[in-house]
Amino acid sequence: MSDMLNWLAGAVGGTYGNFIGGEWKPAGDKTSQIFNPADRDQSLGRFADSGAAEVDEAVVAAHKAWLSWRQVPGPDRGAILFRAADLLEQRIDELAFILAAEQGKVLTEARGEVGRAAKELRFSAGEASRIDGDVLPSEKRNGFAMTLREPIGVVAAIGPWNFPVVTPVRKIGPALAFGCTVVLKSSNLTPWSAVKLMDVFRDAGVPAGVVSLVLGSGRAVGEALIRHPLVRGVSFTGSTGTGVAINAEAGRRLVRTQLELGGKNPAVVLDYDNAATIARQIAGAAFACSGQRCTALSRIVVLEKNAREITEALEAEMAAIRVGPAWQPGATMGPLITAQHKSSVMGHIANAREDGATLALGGTSMDDSDFARGHFVAPTLFTGVAKTSRLALEEVFGPVLAVIPVGSIDEAIEVANSVEYGLAASVYTNDVNLSLRFARESQSGMVHVNHGTASEAHMPFGGVKASGFGAYSIGHSNQEFFTTVKAVYFQS
């Protein structure tokens, strides 16, 4: 604890500008501060508050760099990304400390995020040598036909605040592997991690202009990026409402989008041998990152005959959660990102009470002396939640679980599919036929059988309905976003 506090005391207070064309630019007169969500009185630093001029400088540099970067052989691009993955692991302590300080997640989770980023970057590095193409028979004698994949050009990568290391890497890695260049706009709540990521890619040997960072608000920087005529793709992770607006704006220029959006993910409990095991899986998926994950489990759809046993097992599992700042020994769940977001989560809790749900655990804003300077909310469990209530249908994005009892398997699947979102879903059953049925009928982009909603570094990641649009990320499906097909005909 003391080592981290001493490190933070020496590291905070800096002023950071944009990374454009391979160089750090001065922040200028217009900056904004960020604060530690576990201690709102602690300023972590000041960061450039940029606008359209800085965006234009970065995009023009990225376009110029793309003209040469696209010609670099794929294996050579991959070698640079492999070096970047090694640097992520070598700098894991510094990156994790910064991530935990600005985002709030406990240090164990922060280290896990950086490690996951390195894994995904290595997969992307390999993708540079796996770009597909086909050779096809021609209709003509002495001819043949083939398809090539070419990089689309400059990509605007717009990242969220909840995973400020892995999500930018998830966009930058495949973009560079497939021959694109990137201008990153990080969340203005978590820009410090993005600053350190630029150093990683620079030190790994990424050429000047291939990756740039422009700091600032979504309205000033994000909109300028989306509208810039040299940007040919927008990869965005964030709220569904913002994603819809981005898609509409990009569509006016026929610019492709890759959108990772919200979720209201169910855990459907049909049968089991051990309720405690199920509860452990659910709690891990629900309360990691304080529930501030698009893939967090937020609904427990359980057969009525099992509802009480599952609820009791969840209460026991949740009682073991230790809320506290990242550096507190034994802490397993940190604060929410801002006071505003904390107020939103508490509003959802109040709505659940109004709608008649039973508060089984938590439900409180943690404002006593140990937590007074942070944005802490106790892990919360509601039971007897009506399937049409607000808590059953609306995304909370916080540490709140709803237990929804149902009378049959058919009703369980119906309730699981009854929301506007379709990102991830878990099913718990010993019956292989039921698991296959759920996998077929679940209206979600990712289905997990007998475990939580953690994805893997080589598998496509994405959702349907209001949870996503465009090519899935992480896996080989990224090729559909970052490259375009060219048909070539030969005649001898």
Side-chain angles (χ1 to χ4, degrees), residues 110-180:
R111 288 179 62 87
E113 180 177 338
V114 179
R116 172 58 184 264
K119 283 185 178 180
E120 292 194 15
L121 197 50
R122 289 197 175 98
F123 178 83
S124 293
E127 285 289 87
S129 298
R130 294 190 289 262
I131 301 174
D132 293 344
D134 294 305
V135 177
L136 303 168
S138 173
E139 295 177 352
K140 300 178 177 63
R141 190 181 299 273
N142 300 323
F144 70 91
M146 63 187 296
T147 62
L148 306 174
R149 283 202 171 265
E150 297 186 331
I152 61 173
V154 180
V155 173
I158 303 176
W161 51 260
N162 58 340
F163 287 93
V165 171
V166 74
T167 307
V169 166
R170 186 171 291 173
K171 301 176 187 302
I172 295 169
L176 270 56
F178 289 118
C180 300

Side-chain angles (χ1 to χ4, degrees), residues 192-489:
W192 200 5
S193 296
V195 166
K196 295 302 179 180
L197 281 178
M198 293 302 103
D199 289 340
V200 166
F201 285 108
R202 178 200 60 196
D203 295 348
V206 173
V210 172
V211 177
S212 292
L213 169 69
V214 181
L215 301 169
S217 69
R219 184 170 299 277
V221 173
E223 291 185 7
L225 267 175
I226 296 161
R227 293 172 179 168
H228 199 288
L230 293 177
V231 168
R232 300 313 306 162
V234 180
S235 181
F236 167 79
T237 300
S239 71
T240 297
T242 303
V244 169
I246 287 173
N247 198 56
E249 185 65 36
R252 293 187 180 96
R253 296 196 299 111
L254 299 181
V255 168
R256 63 178 63 182
T257 57
Q258 180 185 53
L259 308 177
E260 296 177 8
L261 308 175
K264 187 66 178 175
N265 310 300
V268 179
V269 183
L270 302 179
D271 59 82
Y272 50 86
D273 293 325
N274 189 312
T277 300
I278 303 295
R280 191 172 306 114
Q281 292 277 353
I282 291 172
F287 299 108
C289 196
S290 305
Q292 300 171 125
R293 298 191 307 148
C294 57
T295 55
L297 289 176
S298 61
R299 298 179 292 152
I300 315 303
V301 184
V302 58
L303 297 177
E304 290 171 349
K305 63 180 181 179
N306 298 325
R308 181 174 179 179
E309 184 177 24
I310 289 295
T311 298
E312 290 175 350
L314 281 169
E315 290 174 343
E317 193 66 31
M318 290 170 61
I321 295 173
R322 294 292 176 262
V323 179
W327 52 84
Q328 181 174 295
T332 57
M333 193 183 95
L336 301 183
I337 185 69
T338 62
Q340 182 181 11
H341 187 55
K342 176 182 176 180
S343 177
S344 172
V345 171
M346 293 306 298
H348 284 285
I349 290 172
N351 291 342
R353 286 171 162 159
E354 288 179 10
D355 292 345
T358 300
L359 180 63
L361 202 67
T364 58
S365 171
M366 303 176 71
D367 299 319
D368 61 24
S369 58
D370 291 335
F371 303 100
R373 295 201 304 272
H375 314 305
F376 295 94
V377 172
T380 298
L381 179 67
F382 281 98
T383 61
V385 177
K387 61 185 179 182
T388 58
S389 67
R390 286 173 286 184
L391 187 61
L393 301 175
E394 297 174 356
E395 185 179 34
V396 176
F397 220 64
V400 181
L401 262 177
V403 177
I404 306 171
V406 293
S408 67
I409 293 170
D410 288 345
E411 186 183 7
I413 296 175
E414 176 190 351
V415 169
N417 291 335
S418 65
V419 298
E420 65 174 320
Y421 302 100
L423 186 58
S426 291
V427 63
Y428 296 89
T429 177
N430 294 323
D431 188 327
V432 66
N433 290 322
L434 280 180
S435 66
L436 290 172
R437 178 188 172 188
F438 185 82
R440 287 193 304 269
E441 297 183 17
S442 174
Q443 295 172 11
S444 60
M446 298 173 287
V447 175
H448 303 259
V449 179
N450 291 329
H451 64 88
T453 51
S455 61
E456 297 186 12
H458 65 294
M459 287 286 285
F461 182 101
V464 298
K465 300 195 291 188
S467 288
F469 183 79
Y472 282 17
S473 65
I474 301 181
H476 190 59
S477 52
N478 261 318
Q479 181 176 258
E480 300 299 323
F481 174 72
F482 291 103
T483 68
T484 187
V485 174
K486 176 179 285 182
V488 182
Y489 298 90

Side-chain angles (χ1 to χ4, degrees), residues 24-89:
W24 284 108
K25 306 290 186 177
D29 296 333
K30 191 176 181 182
T31 61
S32 59
Q33 287 188 87
I34 63 167
F35 296 86
N36 185 342
D39 183 354
R40 59 176 173 264
D41 296 328
Q42 183 184 38
S43 172
L44 301 178
R46 304 195 72 93
F47 297 82
D49 192 358
S50 308
E54 292 83 1
V55 168
D56 182 65
E57 182 183 2
V59 174
V60 169
H63 180 71
K64 181 179 178 181
W66 174 65
L67 297 176
S68 56
W69 178 249
R70 62 177 301 187
Q71 303 298 332
V72 175
D76 293 345
R77 297 196 300 263
I80 293 174
L81 295 177
F82 277 121
R83 288 199 293 272
D86 292 341
L87 288 174
L88 281 174
E89 291 181 335

